[in-house]
Amino acid sequence: MSQSQIERDSDGIHEQNHSSNGRKLEQEFLPDRDSMTLRENGDSSSSEGKDKSSNTEAEKPPARSDGKIELKEAGCYDKLGFTFPAWKKWGILCVIFAVQLSMNFNASIYGNAVQPMSTELGISEQAAKVGQAVFLISYAFGCELWAPWSEELGRWPIMQLSLTFVNIWQIPCALAPNFGAIVVGRFLGGISSAGGSVTLGMVADMWDADDHQYAVAFIVLSSVGGSVLGPVVGAFSEAYLNWRWIFWLQLIFGVAVQAMHFFVPETRSAVLVDREAMQRRKAGETNVYGAGELKEHRFSAKGIVTVWLRPFEMFIREPIVLCLSLLSGFSDALIFTFIDSYQPVYEQWGFGTVQLGLAFIPLLIGYFICYLTFIPFIRRHTQIRGKDPDALQPEARLYWLLWIAPLETIGLFGFAWTSLGPSHVHWIAPMIFSLLIAIANYGIYMATIDYMIASYGPYSASATGGNGLARDFLAGIAAMYATPFYSNLPKPYTLEYPSTILACIAFCVTIPIYVFYWKGPAIRKRSKFAQTLASDRKATGVRRVSTEGEKPNGGHLEQP
């Protein structure tokens, strides 16, 4: 795409150039309100956007052959999560923040049990880390397995069921007589974690496509923050309590957030529509039914398998999803590599267990700083879309990442060569560079999720599912290689070489960000998912396309 076709102002805004030989930029692929949910279904049957408050004036849908009338979202919009007052939305979001925080806390605090556990159970520390790797890898797949059920049965029961199982599996870990019991318990705990597939879905239940960036940024903060909160809290537990308390603390945190979530209302639009239909039948409208009630085969095995497999298909076949997911996964793996590298690095300055835990605080500070820096860009984008929904390309959401992504490479190089010890540098130096890495890590996760949502519309749940899968899976792998990586490279730079290698990898994996920023529209034109959305919008004359268990094929939607 030539410079005459696209203009970038100081905020990286991609807008149309109306003097470009009559050629127009490809419209932004904005997601459906439910597009962040894995089911990617068609609960929204209207393209009226925020003006649906006037749905009572809409024409009543025709009855089916059996005389039943299907109640649409437009017919009960005031009952859906989109109309919740702001205080209620953000109250729910704060609870979801705590839930997501606890799930990532469970993944990272385990590292503080490794050393005392290995001593008591008679295993090597490297073997003890299998429990962390198993949890993260099973967590990566657990998020995908839970998501379709939250679409059919609702967010509330699925999240409660997930939290119940996660809490139950903490007990056999805490009471385990041998390491095998811990591995089994950790696997079951990971596969039981619903994770971001449900929490991000709840965001999509309450915010329209143009309004959800603030909420997504908040939830991303809980995700990355939980990974660092674990070693901070775990350090005090390791120093003053028996290693089994690592699991009791997870149980206490889990029970607390489950109790908070118990009072959160259902937000899933399809479920709320079904409930409203039942209420209307009780009030005398005997022929009104929700879409879920009218499904003949509500739990189709083929449909569920299709939805489960789509994230893997997009991960492999979509270059945007593949490259950005690998970048995001690499960044998350860095944090779990740090959990192991901090000990040999900071022991040079005489750091004890508690001091090592506190050394993770700069990462938390970095996450919060980056979260705050995204807010002005989100506000500006929201204002521009309010004036013209087509003014922004999805690539505009990558603009701030262009500036902060290099901080990952800079931070890793800096961390590497300030790890020389007290004879060369003060301990604050590697902490400053770790803060830069945290800023980049948050920015990468936030921007890649946001860009995928904007690029893939109703398929964005599968795209972001691949992102989450890569983050957790690669983090699980990192739990196994981190200690050997920082122990077995040549002297005298045993600690410096590993971080330098990671910095070189970071430089390579961040290159696609710049490619997608400038060439993203052309790349999306070659995507079969993007082509499907474009052709259906052209055929229907609307910007939003909803699918239910459908797959793209040759530029149109085809039932599987």
Side-chain angles (χ1 to χ4, degrees):
M1 181 168 289
S2 66
Q3 189 67 27
S4 63
Q5 290 174 284
I6 191 166
E7 296 179 350
R8 296 178 176 87
D9 63 15
S10 60
D11 292 314
I13 307 303
H14 293 231
E15 301 189 25
Q16 266 186 288
N17 186 337
H18 296 287
S19 62
S20 58
N21 300 323
R23 299 174 61 185
K24 296 183 179 180
L25 289 172
E26 181 181 4
Q27 285 188 333
E28 177 185 9
F29 289 133
L30 291 176
D32 187 54
R33 288 185 307 216
D34 288 328
S35 64
M36 293 166 59
T37 61
L38 183 60
R39 234 346 244 251
E40 304 165 343
N41 64 14
D43 295 323
S44 292
S45 59
S46 170
S47 59
E48 296 170 343
K50 298 178 184 178
D51 294 332
K52 288 184 181 176
S53 58
S54 61
N55 59 72
T56 54
E57 300 176 4
E59 183 180 352
K60 191 173 182 180
R64 294 152 37 107
S65 58
D66 57 8
K68 296 179 179 178
I69 297 177
E70 180 182 345
L71 180 63
K72 304 286 188 177
E73 281 188 12
C76 58
Y77 189 70
D78 60 328
K79 305 295 183 182
L80 305 183
F82 305 109
T83 62
F84 289 171
W87 66 265
K88 185 174 183 179
K89 288 183 179 182
W90 281 94
I92 294 172
L93 202 65
C94 286
V95 174
I96 299 307
F97 184 100
V99 170
Q100 188 67 52
L101 197 71
S102 73
M103 293 179 182
N104 291 79
F105 175 86
N106 292 346
S108 60
I109 194 175
Y110 178 90
N112 292 99
V114 167
Q115 186 173 0
M117 179 198 305
S118 61
T119 301
E120 181 174 327
L121 299 181
I123 59 175
S124 68
E125 291 188 19
Q126 187 65 20
K129 290 176 182 176
V130 170
Q132 186 171 37
V134 165
F135 182 89
L136 284 163
I137 293 172
S138 60
Y139 182 17
F141 291 95
C143 292
E144 306 301 329
L145 296 176
W146 281 99
W149 305 109
S150 76
E151 299 297 326
E152 294 290 347
L153 303 176
R155 314 294 188 194
W156 189 92
I158 291 303
M159 184 60 79
Q160 280 290 311
L161 189 62
S162 170
L163 290 171
T164 297
F165 281 133
V166 170
N167 291 334
I168 287 174
W169 300 127
Q170 302 294 355
I171 298 174
C173 289
L175 302 176
N178 54 59
F179 183 62
I182 292 176
V183 172
V184 172
R186 292 290 285 179
F187 170 79
L188 293 173
I191 207 72
S192 298
S193 300
S197 61
V198 177
T199 55
L200 284 175
M202 293 183 69
V203 172
D205 292 340
M206 296 185 289
W207 276 273
D208 286 303
D210 291 345
D211 300 327
H212 64 223
Q213 284 181 284
Y214 289 108
V216 171
F218 189 62
I219 293 300
V220 168
L221 182 63
S222 70
S223 182
V224 297
S227 299
V228 177
L229 182 64
V232 175
V233 175
F236 289 91
S237 176
E238 182 181 357
Y240 301 111
L241 300 171
N242 183 274
W243 64 267
R244 296 180 185 274
W245 270 95
I246 293 292
F247 300 103
W248 293 126
L249 288 174
Q250 294 177 61
L251 178 60
I252 293 170
F253 196 179
V255 170
V257 298
Q258 184 174 6
M260 294 167 60
H261 181 267
F262 184 84
F263 298 99
V264 169
E266 179 60 63
T267 60
R268 175 65 177 152
S269 295
V271 174
L272 296 178
V273 170
D274 287 349
R275 289 182 181 178
E276 175 63 16
M278 286 188 283
Q279 290 295 323
R280 293 189 183 188
R281 289 199 301 274
K282 290 180 181 179
E285 299 182 52
T286 57
N287 60 341
V288 175
Y289 291 84
E293 298 176 295
L294 295 173
K295 289 182 181 178
E296 296 181 2
H297 303 287
R298 186 168 186 178
F299 300 102
S300 167
K302 184 178 180 180
I304 291 174
V305 170
T306 299
V307 173
W308 278 344
L309 292 179
R310 187 177 292 147
F312 302 98
E313 178 188 2
M314 294 189 72
F315 184 81
I316 294 172
R317 300 182 64 176
E318 293 290 315
I320 291 175
V321 177
L322 176 62
C323 294
L324 295 186
S325 294
L326 290 177
L327 168 62
S328 186
F330 172 77
S331 297
D332 200 43
L334 279 179
I335 302 304
F336 287 88
T337 304
F338 270 2
I339 290 175
D340 284 336
S341 69
Y342 268 35
Q343 183 172 350
V345 168
Y346 287 107
E347 277 183 346
Q348 298 177 103
W349 287 276
F351 278 35
T353 301
V354 173
Q355 288 86 352
L356 283 172
L358 296 177
F360 284 88
I361 290 179
L363 294 175
L364 285 173
I365 296 173
Y367 289 150
F368 190 70
I369 289 174
C370 193
Y371 166 71
L372 293 178
T373 65
F374 266 90
I375 292 178
F377 291 94
I378 294 174
R379 181 183 297 113
R380 174 156 174 75
H381 288 183
T382 301
Q383 291 172 347
I384 293 174
R385 284 195 299 267
K387 297 176 182 178
D388 180 2
D390 297 326
L392 299 178
Q393 290 283 303
E395 287 70 32
R397 306 190 185 206
L398 293 176
Y399 175 76
W400 184 224
L401 187 58
L402 299 179
W403 298 95
I404 60 179
L407 294 180
E408 186 158 75
T409 301
I410 295 170
L412 283 166
F413 271 120
F415 183 83
W417 297 102
T418 55
S419 299
L420 295 167
S423 60
H424 295 82
V425 68
H426 192 274
W427 54 261
I428 196 67
M431 290 191 183
I432 292 173
F433 284 107
S434 67
L435 183 146
L436 298 182
I437 295 170
I439 291 175
N441 187 31
Y442 177 91
I444 287 169
Y445 193 18
M446 169 59 191
T448 55
I449 288 286
D450 200 21
Y451 178 52
M452 289 179 186
I453 290 171
S455 296
Y456 288 101
Y459 297 110
S460 61
S462 292
T464 57
N467 190 305
L469 181 71
R471 288 180 69 86
D472 295 321
F473 186 85
L474 293 179
I477 301 299
M480 296 305 300
Y481 72 68
T483 297
F485 190 46
Y486 276 88
S487 304
N488 298 322
L489 292 186
K491 296 181 178 180
Y493 300 115
T494 304
L495 299 177
E496 290 76 18
Y497 285 150
S499 295
T500 301
I501 293 172
L502 292 175
C504 294
I505 298 174
F507 176 80
C508 295
V509 298
T510 53
I511 291 174
I513 297 172
Y514 302 89
V515 175
F516 294 138
Y517 182 74
W518 276 284
K519 302 296 183 181
I523 295 172
R524 285 187 283 111
K525 285 181 180 179
R526 292 194 293 268
S527 163
K528 74 169 186 176
F529 290 93
Q531 287 174 349
T532 297
L533 296 175
S535 62
D536 276 87
R537 285 175 179 137
K538 184 177 180 180
T540 60
V542 297
R543 288 173 51 82
R544 295 170 52 178
V545 177
S546 299
T547 67
E548 181 173 358
E550 296 167 325
K551 63 184 180 182
N553 185 13
H556 64 278
L557 293 174
E558 180 181 292
Q559 292 292 339

